[in-house]
Amino acid sequence: MDNQPIKIGLPRAMLYYRYRVLWRTFFAELDMETVVSAPTDREILEQGTALAIDEACLSLKIYLGHAAALMGKCDYILAPRVSSLGRHRSFCTRFESMPDLVRNVFRASGQNLLTYEVDEGMQRKDEESAFLEMGRSLGCPAKAVKRAYRLAKKADAAAWKERVQKHEQRYKTEGMKVLIAAHSYVAEDPYMGRPVTDYLKQAGVIPVRADIVDRDAALKHSRELSPTCKWEISREILGGIVQHKDDVNGIILLSAFPCGPDAMVNELITRRVEGVPILNLVLDSQSGTAGVETRLESFIDIIRFKEGTL
Ligand code: SF4
């Protein structure tokens, strides 16, 4: 039993979609196992909805459903606190409160949580020192943790570069393209963004993503739309829109209800991005695919009508 590797549970939601390579490589380099919850299904959604307060956004409800699915199946569940990567580089408050929230919701479960804290704004605590602390809390020697972190960062950067390069090819493909502006965990979730991209594909439209971009370049470009937006992920999306709005036939602003950052940022996009049709689609746990499909169908018709191909 003692020789069993430590098992770290990763809820397949929210920051998992951003940090999956980093996390999985880091723990693998420390000879630990990672267990990822299964893709979102109705049961996960219902369980998360039952655990969350009504005001929680759909992404958070889904996250709690994934955390619940991992209970008792791993030694620790990873629930990091990621607050800020620096000035004008904040994360939504849901990410700041994540470990407290998970600890509180599952307080009776006896499940161990694993966390790390990144706050390069107020506390000047960077990701590397946060990972070092987390590794030490798992009983690993500092040298091994440092090495694992460096290798994980390298793997993460290489995987992202390859993904961005591959994604850029889509803009060169012939045909109608629609840019999806959404947080990755919304765009890729089987109960949120996936039905939207599936619908677009079967309608002969090429979906492209505003968040799959060179992140440093996107942060710089984001200032053209908003010099004051403070959320890191929103700024990446804004930058992606600036870079690609002229390469696409339409933009879909895809949000999870109720999302504070998106409510502000999407309003800004609607006012400042001109010359391209924009559809604002807000998903909640009640939206059936039928309503979404009708809106997508008319949006595609509007684009075709505008371009004289209807
Ligand atoms: S940014 Fe929006 S969707 Fe994401 S966690 Fe915050 S409120 Fe939820």
Side-chain angles (χ1 to χ4, degrees), residues 14 57 59 92 94-95 183 185 256 258-261:
M14 295 177 99
C57 68
S59 308
C92 169
R94 310 278 188 213
F95 297 113
H183 294 239
Y185 48 87
C259 176

Side-chain angles (χ1 to χ4, degrees), residues 41-298:
D41 58 17
R42 171 102 340 235
E43 199 185 326
I44 286 178
L45 173 65
E46 281 172 3
Q47 172 114 46
T49 306
L51 289 166
I53 54 165
D54 288 347
E55 294 75 19
C57 68
L58 179 57
S59 308
L60 183 58
K61 288 175 179 167
I62 287 177
Y63 178 91
L64 290 176
H66 281 276
L70 287 167
M71 290 290 147
K73 295 188 182 131
C74 49
D75 299 299
Y76 296 91
I77 289 182
L78 180 67
R81 185 191 314 281
V82 181
S83 306
S84 163
L85 299 180
R87 191 164 180 267
H88 284 173
R89 300 189 66 186
S90 302
F91 280 70
C92 169
T93 50
R94 310 278 188 213
F95 297 113
E96 286 187 50
S97 58
M98 192 56 83
D100 307 317
L101 181 86
V102 176
R103 200 169 282 123
N104 189 38
V105 170
F106 298 104
R107 59 190 176 281
S109 69
Q111 174 69 53
N112 287 320
L113 284 194
L114 179 66
T115 191
Y116 65 87
E117 190 171 335
V118 179
D119 183 359
E120 294 190 39
M122 301 286 278
Q123 295 189 54
R124 306 237 176 269
K125 200 166 180 194
D126 66 13
E127 191 185 71
E128 181 164 1
S129 47
F131 270 67
L132 284 179
E133 221 169 85
M134 173 170 66
R136 280 201 298 265
S137 77
L138 289 165
C140 305
K143 204 172 159 192
V145 181
K146 215 170 209 169
R147 182 182 166 277
Y149 176 73
R150 297 261 156 90
L151 290 172
K153 280 305 266 187
K154 233 180 178 171
D156 180 62
W160 187 248
K161 193 173 173 195
E162 193 186 331
R163 190 163 180 206
V164 171
Q165 281 172 351
K166 216 167 148 195
H167 198 74
E168 291 288 323
Q169 294 306 316
R170 290 206 196 179
Y171 293 99
K172 298 180 184 138
T173 315
E174 275 300 308
M176 184 197 289
K177 289 170 234 26
V178 167
L179 186 65
I180 296 178
H183 294 239
S184 57
Y185 48 87
V186 173
E188 290 175 41
D189 187 88
Y191 259 78
M192 293 193 279
R194 190 85 64 71
V196 173
T197 41
D198 288 349
Y199 182 86
L200 293 174
K201 282 184 198 160
Q202 64 86 25
V205 176
I206 303 158
V208 273
R209 295 250 308 269
D211 62 311
I212 305 182
V213 276
D214 175 321
R215 289 176 176 149
D216 291 334
L219 289 181
K220 286 183 193 134
H221 281 295
S222 72
R223 296 197 195 109
E224 293 171 38
L225 281 177
S226 170
T228 53
C229 178
K230 66 171 195 163
W231 297 292
E232 177 84 352
I233 300 177
S234 303
R235 287 186 59 202
E236 290 167 4
I237 294 170
L238 287 173
I241 293 176
V242 170
Q243 287 180 76
H244 289 297
K245 71 180 169 49
D246 296 330
D247 305 325
V248 298
N249 306 82
I251 300 176
I252 296 177
L253 309 176
L254 191 63
S255 303
F257 179 82
C259 176
D262 280 5
M264 285 181 70
V265 172
N266 290 353
E267 180 68 23
L268 182 149
I269 295 168
T270 317
R271 284 167 189 251
R272 298 201 178 158
V273 176
E274 291 172 349
V276 57
I278 296 177
L279 172 68
N280 201 348
L281 213 52
V282 182
L283 308 163
D284 63 35
S285 46
Q286 311 305 324
S287 349
T289 48
V292 171
E293 283 175 9
T294 311
R295 296 196 59 204
L296 289 171
E297 192 182 3
S298 20

